[in-house]
Amino acid sequence: MTPPHPSTDRSVALVTLGCTRNEVDSEELAGRLLAEGWRLVDDASEADVAVVNTCGFVEQAKKDSIDALLEASDLKGDGGRTQKVVAVGCLAERYGKELADQLPEADAVLGFDSYRDMSSHLQTILAGGHVESHTPGDRRTLLPLTPVERQAGAAGVALPGHGDGDYDQTGVDTLDGVPVPATGPRVIRARLDGRPWAPLKIASGCDRRCSFCAIPMFRGAFVSRRPADIVAEGRWLAEQGVKELFLVSENSTSYGKDLGDLGLLEKLLPELTAIEGIARVRVSYLQPAEIRPGLLRAMADTPGVVPYYDISFQHASEPLLRSMRRFGSREAFLDLLARVRADAPQAGVRCNVIVGFPGETEADLDELEAFLTEARLDVVGVFGYSDEDGTEAEGYTGHLAPEVVAERLDRFTRLVEELNAQRAEERIGEHVVVLVEEIDDEDGSAIGRADFQGPDVDGVTVVHVPEGAPTPQVGDLVEAVVVATEGIDLVAEPR
């Protein structure tokens, strides 16, 4: 590889917190830095600069991000290589200078607009110079209010994970050892792990106005990536050995609305599954109020699209959902699940719910409990409500005492653990295809995910390989039958 600038032994480590969307952003930053001559290392203690890609979603995520920054800062005093620590990502974008003032351990706090010039910023910081910390603002104001007018204005707005058509890679023949295409969209990304699956961003931002959520303020208005760029990046990922594309965004059901075609995701799916080497395409984060019959049919009927439905229910009480500025009810959601399973009987369904929202009554909780009991969901994430700066719900009356929220969180966490375990037991006897992600060193069993299991948080399938049988390799697809469960995890044997 011939870097566009004289190579020095400048090393950088990217520490990523939060969601898979952040993982895409980190890999884009890694690609930019690699193209500018930086050496990527896995361990922050072995890097000149540790870049911490923070999460600003909920209170616990903020605490985890600050802890990671402090941990990285501690490396500077250990006599090791680490000299500087830089905060990027959602927490940095959301709080900017305020975070910098409260966390002097970070040598800089940089927002999304800094990503294009990250190499020069890090070089300045490493040389002892100062880079001004980010000044936060409402990113929803950066693009036109009308979705169809946004694509024209998006060129000048930083959209992490979307790549840049105007990024200059003159003289760069390869990125991370992979040839850069001479024509067409150039992928600015470097893999930071060897997993056989990878997140692929299809859009950024959100136009919904949920009263509890601050994401649109710091991620901005909804913007779709163009299909050609998504497919090009999908091909690049396949060349890296990726078998499963995990389509991520803040709201995948809105994809295409700013491109003049709300049915564009249905058209994109077969293009992605047709990529050589790609065995699976998984869609994440569906808004129940926006799920269309055509999308359900396309997800069920397109070979290679797995029967996985990540649906953002949040609650099931209609009055409380209205207070959240959302739509739906227990009956409406159960009807949606019936339609999902009519098309895809083996469907895996996951969701998140919030308990302790201001004004939540016992009747609201009864509705939520009834829904969860009837819904037969594979995985449910339960969150206790906490105020988010600048959100509508922050000003609501009827806030519950912290101990009440904690009690409800504990109550529903225990409920869904039982219900999800019951759902896993229903799958005993099912035939599954497992994408192997790890081999257990002790017994040689293959650990991976069935079609209906999402990455990281949705449980795994452990395939016990008979003695004397060939051991599968990471990235293999193994046909198996479920024979037992361990909580939400499945235990299977090869077919």
Side-chain angles (χ1 to χ4, degrees), residues 162-173:
H162 282 227
D164 272 336
D166 60 351
Y167 184 68
D168 183 12
Q169 292 182 344
T170 303
V172 180
D173 301 315

Side-chain angles (χ1 to χ4, degrees), residues 464-482:
H464 290 304
V465 181
E467 188 174 349
T471 301
Q473 301 298 308
V474 171
D476 286 351
L477 292 161
V478 176
E479 295 187 5
V481 59
V482 180

Side-chain angles (χ1 to χ4, degrees), residues 141-158:
T141 64
L142 300 180
L143 290 168
L145 184 63
T146 305
V148 293
E149 297 176 353
R150 286 183 194 154
Q151 289 290 324
V157 175

Side-chain angles (χ1 to χ4, degrees), residues 92-429:
E93 176 65 37
R94 187 174 180 185
Y95 293 104
K97 290 184 176 180
E98 180 184 346
L99 178 63
D101 291 342
Q102 295 180 4
L103 197 71
E105 291 86 352
D107 296 287
V109 176
L110 305 180
F112 299 146
D113 294 328
S114 299
Y115 284 20
R116 288 176 178 170
D117 300 316
M118 188 59 64
S119 176
S120 61
H121 291 325
L122 296 188
Q123 186 61 43
T124 297
I125 294 164
L126 192 57
H130 175 72
V131 176
E132 190 70 20
S133 293
H134 168 64
T135 301
D138 190 337
R139 294 191 72 85
R140 292 174 296 187
T141 64
L142 300 180
L143 290 168
L145 184 63
T146 305
V148 293
E149 297 176 353
R150 286 183 194 154
Q151 289 290 324
V157 175
L159 297 170
H162 282 227
D164 272 336
D166 60 351
Y167 184 68
D168 183 12
Q169 292 182 344
T170 303
V172 180
D173 301 315
T174 64
L175 282 179
D176 204 17
V178 177
V180 172
T183 60
R186 292 173 180 258
V187 177
I188 308 171
R189 184 170 176 177
R191 297 302 317 279
L192 293 175
D193 56 63
R195 299 177 308 194
W197 68 274
L200 174 57
K201 191 173 285 193
I202 64 170
S204 291
C206 185
D207 288 341
R208 302 192 70 85
R209 295 295 179 263
C210 302
S211 62
F212 56 85
C213 183
I215 289 175
M217 286 184 280
F218 58 85
R219 276 292 183 179
F222 184 89
V223 180
S224 303
R225 290 185 73 188
R226 293 192 174 274
D229 293 339
I230 297 171
V231 173
E233 188 165 331
R235 290 196 186 103
W236 181 85
L237 289 168
E239 291 168 0
Q240 314 306 301
V242 169
K243 298 290 184 66
E244 177 182 306
L245 300 176
F246 186 39
L247 308 187
V248 299
S249 71
E250 275 75 25
N251 178 5
S252 297
T253 34
S254 279
Y255 180 74
K257 72 176 186 179
D258 52 325
L259 295 171
D261 185 356
L262 255 179
L264 200 53
L265 183 55
E266 293 94 303
K267 300 169 185 174
L268 176 64
L269 292 176
E271 292 192 55
L272 293 172
T273 58
I275 295 173
E276 185 177 354
I278 296 301
R280 290 178 173 175
V281 173
R282 186 179 305 275
V283 183
S284 73
Y285 215 78
L286 305 173
Q287 285 287 346
E290 297 182 40
I291 294 177
R292 305 171 301 279
L295 178 58
L296 292 182
R297 286 194 301 272
M299 291 177 66
D301 295 344
T302 304
V305 176
V306 294
Y308 174 80
Y309 299 80
D310 174 19
I311 305 177
S312 175
F313 289 123
Q314 304 297 354
H315 211 281
S317 165
E318 186 170 11
L320 198 71
L321 285 165
R322 290 286 185 176
S323 185
M324 290 178 169
R325 301 298 183 205
R326 297 178 66 83
F327 302 94
S329 65
R330 173 164 60 101
E331 293 80 7
F333 292 162
L334 290 173
D335 177 69
L336 172 59
L337 291 175
R339 286 185 281 129
V340 165
R341 288 171 174 141
D343 288 334
Q346 267 197 315
V349 185
R350 72 145 2 254
C351 78
N352 293 325
V353 297
I354 297 171
V355 295
F357 190 79
E360 184 183 57
T361 66
E362 283 297 328
D364 295 325
L365 292 174
D366 289 344
E367 277 292 284
L368 179 58
E369 182 172 348
F371 168 68
L372 294 173
T373 302
E374 295 178 65
R376 296 169 53 241
L377 302 170
D378 292 80
V379 181
V380 180
V382 184
F383 292 86
Y385 173 81
S386 61
D387 279 334
E388 288 298 319
D389 297 333
T391 59
E392 182 183 354
E394 186 183 22
Y396 280 4
T397 59
H399 276 65
L400 303 176
E403 59 269 22
V404 174
V405 177
E407 184 277 327
R408 293 181 180 185
L409 175 61
D410 178 67
R411 169 182 159 190
F412 274 83
T413 298
R414 285 186 285 109
L415 172 66
V416 301
E417 284 177 352
E418 180 181 349
L419 293 172
N420 293 162
Q422 291 173 6
R423 174 61 179 143
E425 289 175 358
E426 292 179 15
R427 293 196 179 275
I428 293 176

Side-chain angles (χ1 to χ4, degrees), residues 52-114:
V52 180
N53 190 353
T54 61
C55 178
F57 178 42
V58 292
E59 195 62 32
Q60 186 59 52
K62 298 175 194 175
K63 291 177 181 177
D64 291 344
S65 294
I66 290 172
D67 287 346
L69 286 163
L70 293 173
E71 183 179 343
S73 178
D74 287 343
L75 296 173
K76 294 189 291 184
D78 284 349
R81 177 157 185 153
T82 308
Q83 301 176 50
K84 301 294 181 180
V85 174
V86 175
V88 299
C90 292
L91 192 69
E93 176 65 37
R94 187 174 180 185
Y95 293 104
K97 290 184 176 180
E98 180 184 346
L99 178 63
D101 291 342
Q102 295 180 4
L103 197 71
E105 291 86 352
D107 296 287
V109 176
L110 305 180
F112 299 146
D113 294 328
S114 299

